[in-house]
Amino acid sequence: MSFDLPTLDTPRLRLLPAAPELAAAMLSHWQRNREHFAPWDPKPGPDFFTEGYWTKQLAQRAQAWREGREARYVLTLREAPERIIGTASLSNIVRGVFQACHLGYGIDQDCEGQGLMREALQAVIRLAFDELKLHRIQANYQPQNTRSGALLRRLGFVEEGVAKDYLFINGEWRDHALTSLRNPDFDASALLA
């Protein structure tokens, strides 16, 4: 990428780029939310709940930005910047004729239902469309995760279908609803050059 991943500020949040110095706060976030995220995420490996794991992961995620493959953020409340309350990411960034990525996100169980994730994702979507100049953002969720589906609809994502046996989570294959949001201001002229 030609610029550093910027910090994103919203009225209530500060979205910080993934960086190794956030490892202790990230570990705390995952420890607090272990059961909360368990139905939706793959079973974590043996080192997942260690600071060393998160130092390495966050360093790899920062490097992936420099390579143009992803943009990963941690969410903090402006009045409590030391506590991570969520994550938001643009991963699998593909250029060429695709110009798209996948959106990922998760919020602390104590922060659900306050509109914080919507606020964060609006900022991340602006980054994807205005700064990264992507055409399409894809987001997938398990159909029983009704909160996630409702959030994506409020953000303007359109359901495109269901992928059967899409991801192996908690010992079985899980279906996922496939959604996308397209950039209404995408300039395709660069693709024709």
Side-chain angles (χ1 to χ4, degrees):
M1 290 287 157
S2 60
F3 60 93
D4 290 335
L5 186 60
T7 296
L8 304 176
D9 289 309
T10 71
R12 296 179 290 169
L13 299 169
R14 183 151 244 226
L15 284 68
L16 305 172
E21 59 268 18
L22 298 169
M26 183 65 101
L27 174 59
S28 177
H29 168 69
W30 278 95
Q31 287 172 328
R32 284 191 318 273
N33 290 284
R34 180 182 280 206
E35 296 303 317
H36 176 58
F37 293 136
W40 318 117
D41 290 337
K43 184 178 178 184
D47 296 332
F48 188 87
F49 292 100
T50 67
E51 190 170 333
Y53 173 88
W54 284 107
T55 299
K56 182 178 177 181
Q57 284 297 308
L58 293 167
Q60 289 173 349
R61 291 168 181 182
Q63 179 62 32
W65 166 256
R66 291 188 290 274
E67 295 169 357
R69 296 183 289 118
E70 60 186 49
R72 296 202 180 245
Y73 284 98
V74 299
L75 285 55
T76 65
L77 292 168
R78 290 178 136 225
E79 72 266 5
E82 70 289 342
R83 183 175 184 245
I84 293 174
I85 62 152
T87 59
S89 64
L90 302 171
S91 63
N92 304 317
I93 296 173
V94 177
R95 295 299 186 169
V97 297
F98 196 41
Q99 297 294 325
C101 67
H102 283 95
L103 176 69
Y105 51 90
I107 189 100
D108 194 294
Q109 61 190 349
D110 295 333
C111 296
E112 282 189 316
Q114 300 173 36
L116 292 167
M117 185 52 73
R118 182 177 183 189
E119 187 174 313
L121 293 182
Q122 287 170 328
V124 170
I125 290 167
R126 280 193 302 277
L127 175 83
F129 289 165
D130 298 346
E131 301 298 326
L132 301 181
K133 309 291 188 205
L134 293 173
H135 172 251
R136 176 186 179 90
I137 302 171
Q138 299 178 163
N140 307 325
Y141 68 95
Q142 293 179 50
Q144 61 272 35
N145 188 344
T146 56
R147 292 184 83 99
S148 192
L151 170 63
L152 292 170
R153 282 188 296 279
R154 282 192 303 275
L155 289 166
F157 281 76
V158 175
E159 189 164 325
E160 297 182 327
V162 175
K164 296 293 188 183
D165 297 338
Y166 188 68
L167 293 177
F168 194 75
I169 297 175
N170 293 326
E172 65 181 84
W173 289 102
R174 307 287 178 159
D175 296 349
H176 279 67
L178 309 178
T179 72
S180 73
L181 180 67
R182 290 178 299 183
N183 182 351
D185 300 318
F186 182 76
D187 181 5
S189 64
L191 297 176
L192 303 173

